[in-house]
Amino acid sequence: MRSVVNYQTDLLRTFVSVVDLGAFTKAGDALGRTQPAISLQMKRLEELVGAPIIKQVGRSLLLTSEGEMLLSYAREILRLNDEAASYFNRSKIAGVLRVGLPNDYAVAFLQGVITEYTREHPGISLELYCGWSGEILDRLRADELDLAVAMTDHERAQYLSRSWIERPVWAAAETAVFDPAIGVPLAAHPEGCAYRARMIQALDTARIRWRVAYTGPGISGLQNAVMNGLGVSALTRYTMLPGMRVLDPAEGFPPLAEIRVGLFYKHPRLSDAGIRLVNHIVARLDEAGISSDPGRGKVELQHQ
């Protein structure tokens, strides 16, 4: 019979806690264990892997390539384990969930997915924070959010659980006509927005003149500007509205670069309600056919 190596969930939970919380002592506090106990568990896990998963460089700890790979598996194993535990423990789900969403998702697909979940669990109080992706991830690091959806330039980022690709499209009012040969008026979010950057990059590369005809932080204002014919904008399929149309290369508009969006959370900080919400989001992404991949966290940890 083939020998099977079993990666115990308590060892994987310790590993993910060390990565997400950034220190052995913080992981121990979260799990109710001493630092020596955490160190022993990490050593046992390395024995099972057959290779180091964390190495010390100066005063910092870094994940090895084996550690990065293990982290992606560990997050998925723990998510499924906790989903099963939550299913068979049918206690009432209640509490406060603080969720961060990028501005462009505030009225789109994921907001609907999250509010759907809270309707199914009326004991949950939902607090939504909408802002720029950088601000959202800063709030997650500071434990001001329980989980976040944010745009990222990296396939390997701290706290990243799942990521998927969005391909923005050029959006215009159905009856509006724009001629790139004489310049393009843009409806855009303020500087720092990934969609704005991709519009400008695409037009500059194609040597098409542009000007910002409307700027504002909210997605609804952007949509209204497009609908009223003030300019064109970069939107996703979830933020296109009736009365809008997609501008294609045949009309002189160059393709827009893709955007990577991720689901981020600190596993040891999540309540049962949070774990269930993560699983609900993942299930809806799969149902919608949004391709996703486990995130691999290449992060620097502070040994304390």
Side-chain angles (χ1 to χ4, degrees), residues 69-236:
M69 181 62 72
L70 179 63
L71 182 62
S72 65
Y73 284 119
R75 288 193 192 281
E76 197 68 3
I77 291 169
L78 291 177
R79 183 182 70 80
L80 292 172
N81 176 85
D82 294 350
E83 179 182 27
S86 178
Y87 175 82
F88 291 109
N89 177 22
R90 292 181 175 85
S91 57
K92 183 178 180 181
I93 297 297
V96 177
L97 278 179
R98 305 163 301 168
V99 180
L101 292 176
N103 286 317
D104 284 21
Y105 279 82
V107 293
F109 173 72
L110 285 172
Q111 185 187 38
V113 169
I114 292 167
T115 53
E116 172 192 46
Y117 173 79
T118 56
R119 283 196 300 269
E120 294 173 358
H121 303 283
I124 291 175
S125 296
L126 180 66
E127 295 181 3
L128 276 181
Y129 171 80
C130 299
W132 303 119
S133 292
E135 298 170 354
I136 289 170
L137 293 177
D138 285 343
R139 283 177 173 258
L140 180 67
R141 292 185 191 98
D143 290 328
E144 296 173 4
L145 294 173
D146 299 304
L147 59 102
V149 175
M151 299 173 195
T152 176
D153 293 328
H154 307 288
E155 294 183 31
R156 302 174 180 179
Q158 193 173 25
Y159 314 129
L160 177 62
S161 172
R162 288 291 184 98
S163 67
W164 60 96
I165 296 299
E166 291 283 5
R167 173 70 71 173
V169 296
W170 289 104
E174 209 161 51
T175 57
V177 177
F178 297 96
D179 184 0
I182 61 175
V184 176
L186 301 180
H189 289 311
E191 290 185 16
C193 171
Y195 290 89
R196 177 187 176 119
R198 277 156 178 75
M199 286 193 291
I200 293 173
Q201 179 187 40
L203 294 174
D204 283 348
T205 300
R207 297 184 178 179
I208 296 173
R209 288 183 298 161
W210 56 269
R211 62 183 177 85
V212 177
Y214 169 88
T215 183
I219 182 65
S220 59
L222 207 62
Q223 290 168 322
N224 287 334
V226 171
M227 293 287 285
N228 291 328
L230 293 179
V232 303
S233 190
L235 298 178
T236 67

